[in-house]
Amino acid sequence: MNDLPSDVEAYSRSPEFNQDTLPAAIRKQHSTKAGTWALIQVLEGHLTYRIYNPPNETVLEPGKPGVVRPEQSHEVAPASTPMRMYVEFYAAKKP
């Protein structure tokens, strides 16, 4: 996956999810808002990360996060049990 751009900063973080609590809304195709980047952080286990445009699938693990670009259609699914993860949201730095 690509790196986050240097001109963004974190503004929010999801709760921590596991294979049982991962919301259905992020298990199906969805996208971030305009101007919003996301960083998918896996704390334990493995998570399948699918991007729809351009099509790509990878398995995320601790130390190998997934970057979501603004308005990029994607989904995630547990690829192992146990699995724990969270998502950090980023936007342009404020002056």
Side-chain angles (χ1 to χ4, degrees):
M1 303 284 108
N2 299 323
D3 292 328
L4 289 170
S6 61
D7 63 343
V8 299
E9 63 185 354
Y11 71 86
S12 182
R13 178 182 155 165
S14 76
E16 188 177 301
F17 300 113
N18 65 32
Q19 67 279 352
D20 299 320
T21 62
L22 189 66
I26 64 175
R27 291 178 186 244
K28 63 182 181 180
Q29 186 174 348
H30 65 286
S31 63
T32 51
K33 297 177 187 175
T36 300
W37 291 75
L39 188 63
I40 303 167
Q41 294 280 10
V42 176
L43 302 170
E44 178 182 12
H46 298 90
L47 186 71
T48 301
Y49 172 41
R50 290 182 194 93
I51 298 172
Y52 286 89
N53 190 15
N56 189 22
E57 180 175 305
T58 191
V59 175
L60 307 178
E61 58 190 24
K64 183 182 173 188
V67 175
V68 184
R69 297 173 158 280
E71 302 180 86
Q72 185 172 50
S73 292
H74 64 284
E75 68 182 26
V76 297
S80 73
T81 301
M83 183 280 304
R84 293 184 307 122
M85 58 81 70
Y86 66 90
V87 181
E88 289 179 302
F89 297 96
Y90 291 77
K93 290 180 183 176
K94 296 182 180 177

